Amino acid sequence: MQDIINGRCGWCGTDELYVNYHDKEWGRLVTDDDTLFEFLVLESAQAGLSWITILRKREGYRKAFCNFDAGRVAQMTDEDVERLMRFDGIVRNRLKIKSAITNARLFLAIQKEFGSFYNYTLSFFPDRKPIVHTFNSLSEIPVSSPESDAMSKDMKKRGFKFFGTTICYAHLQASGFINDHLAGCFCRKG
């Protein structure tokens, strides 16, 4: 895989959906808990799959999971799980569907304890500030970090599912707590 394609990180290639996600979302700091919950649901669903698969089903996830309203998702029942197992717009994996509901309940508990999921996430970072890496090659980008290790360990202890350190690192990249845009990517200049 090329490091830079058309002036941007090569992992997104030339797929229009992937390019748009790279240019407008990935690596940009998210302070809004609703969006952080959206990324939490999507990243958890991605476990074992490619990110483009989940991006293509994003609107389906939005419909299935109450526009990513954590309060409403937390109230979903076994009947909702059965309904979603028949819904074509998402990955129909019972454990992942149930984990989205469990994770929503735990997400709300973290908000109550820390004031916001954003504050909780920052608590794992030195000086409570996002990290900006200056990698030149895709091969330099790690799959985890001390921050993702600590956060995923804490989340696992709290009962979160499908959120190991690699998924957590991807979540932190997507939501801009870790900026891994390559040094040669035009997103670094903006």
Side-chain angles (χ1 to χ4, degrees), residues 12-23 52 55-56:
C12 67
T14 58
D15 180 286
E16 186 178 340
L17 183 63
Y18 232 179
V19 167
N20 192 43
Y21 168 73
H22 168 275
D23 292 358
I52 191 66
L55 272 184
R56 288 184 178 131

Side-chain angles (χ1 to χ4, degrees), residues 138-178:
L138 294 173
S139 64
E140 295 176 64
I141 299 174
V143 296
S144 65
S145 69
E147 296 78 19
S148 69
D149 292 346
M151 185 171 170
S152 67
K153 182 178 178 184
D154 185 74
M155 289 175 76
K156 184 176 184 177
K157 189 172 75 175
R158 292 171 184 269
F160 280 83
K161 305 289 184 211
F162 291 100
F163 213 75
T165 189
T166 301
I167 293 295
C168 185
Y169 191 81
H171 171 78
L172 294 172
Q173 287 175 308
S175 55
F177 289 92
I178 296 176

